[in-house]
Amino acid sequence: RSSITVLKDDSLQLPYQQLEQNRFIVLTIGNRLSEFTESLSYYAPIKADQLVIDKERGLNTVNPDVWEGYTHVIIALGDVVLDSIPHNRFLDKLHKARENRNITLVNFENPTNLIQLEDFPTLVQAYNNLPVTQEILSQVLFGGEAAEGKLPMQLSKKLVLGLGIQTQVNRLSYASPEVLGIDSYDLSP
């Protein structure tokens, strides 16, 4: 919980509400974030898409047109280092797409990426991409867990040391029986 920082939620989307009235798509870029996409689907039907980074074209292959018809787009950057020069077209596409879509941008690991993304209305940082962090982050987005993290460094004038929005828990979370003091073996038929 403290390893997840909600830096911005200008449109007050988090945690997501009225799940039955919304359609979600997640685009993971870079590292495969399978625990993240799987645990998102515990809360709502999720269309998952993976963008592999092309060595020659970089991230410029992203196509926001495939997001048509979805009310919420979750973009998860895993093990990606954004540099404004080689990723200009990608960043331009993302900035243009946010004008008419609800986009939640989730950055795993490298917090310096946030400098390129600071104008997004919903911005979340996870400081590692361990499976448990991926699972907790998906629960933060849907209200099963609260985000408690604070930015541990100054990145820009907008992204300052100590910045972090604490989110609220508004639905049940998912956990293993052992977390509740129950042996999984006792639950087996």
Side-chain angles (χ1 to χ4, degrees):
R1 291 149 203 88
S2 61
S3 68
I4 297 167
T5 304
V6 174
L7 295 159
K8 292 178 70 182
D9 188 19
D10 295 349
S11 55
L12 302 176
Q13 328 186 47
L14 299 180
Y16 299 134
Q17 304 292 318
Q18 301 169 334
L19 303 183
E20 61 283 344
Q21 297 172 12
N22 291 294
R23 293 189 63 218
F24 296 88
I25 185 170
V26 60
L27 173 64
T28 58
I29 302 171
N31 269 1
R32 203 165 181 88
L33 299 168
S34 54
E35 288 84 1
F36 180 63
T37 54
E38 181 183 334
S39 52
L40 285 171
S41 69
Y42 296 162
Y43 289 99
I46 300 282
K47 177 175 177 2
D49 214 353
Q50 167 91 28
L51 180 64
V52 178
I53 301 171
D54 185 298
K55 296 282 185 218
E56 295 174 14
R57 297 185 298 169
L59 296 173
N60 296 324
T61 57
V62 70
N63 180 7
D65 294 337
V66 300
W67 307 334
E68 199 63 43
Y70 290 92
T71 56
H72 292 280
V73 179
I74 302 166
I75 299 173
L77 300 172
D79 192 29
V80 174
V81 177
L82 291 181
D83 182 348
S84 62
I85 303 302
H87 297 118
N88 265 343
R89 284 185 35 221
F90 167 71
L91 292 168
D92 287 346
K93 286 179 184 181
L94 284 186
H95 284 285
K96 196 170 287 186
R98 75 184 167 107
E99 293 172 4
N100 58 2
R101 290 182 179 88
N102 290 320
I103 295 178
T104 300
L105 222 144
V106 176
N107 186 58
F108 285 90
E109 294 186 45
N110 187 358
T112 59
N113 285 340
L114 299 171
I115 297 167
Q116 305 289 335
L117 308 168
E118 69 183 6
D119 291 331
F120 274 82
T122 307
L123 193 56
V124 182
Q125 173 67 41
Y127 300 97
N128 64 63
N129 68 356
L130 296 172
V132 68
T133 303
Q134 294 179 44
E135 291 170 7
I136 291 172
L137 184 99
S138 65
Q139 294 188 56
V140 165
L141 297 179
F142 284 97
E145 293 282 348
E148 300 171 353
K150 302 287 183 195
L151 192 61
M153 65 190 82
Q154 171 100 16
L155 293 171
S156 70
K157 290 181 181 181
K158 293 180 183 178
L159 301 174
V160 297
L161 174 71
L163 178 65
I165 300 167
Q166 186 164 355
T167 61
Q168 300 300 312
V169 173
N170 66 355
R171 57 178 54 93
L172 295 175
S173 65
Y174 288 87
S176 66
E178 286 76 14
V179 170
L180 301 171
I182 301 169
D183 188 342
S184 298
Y185 182 78
D186 293 342
L187 298 175
S188 300

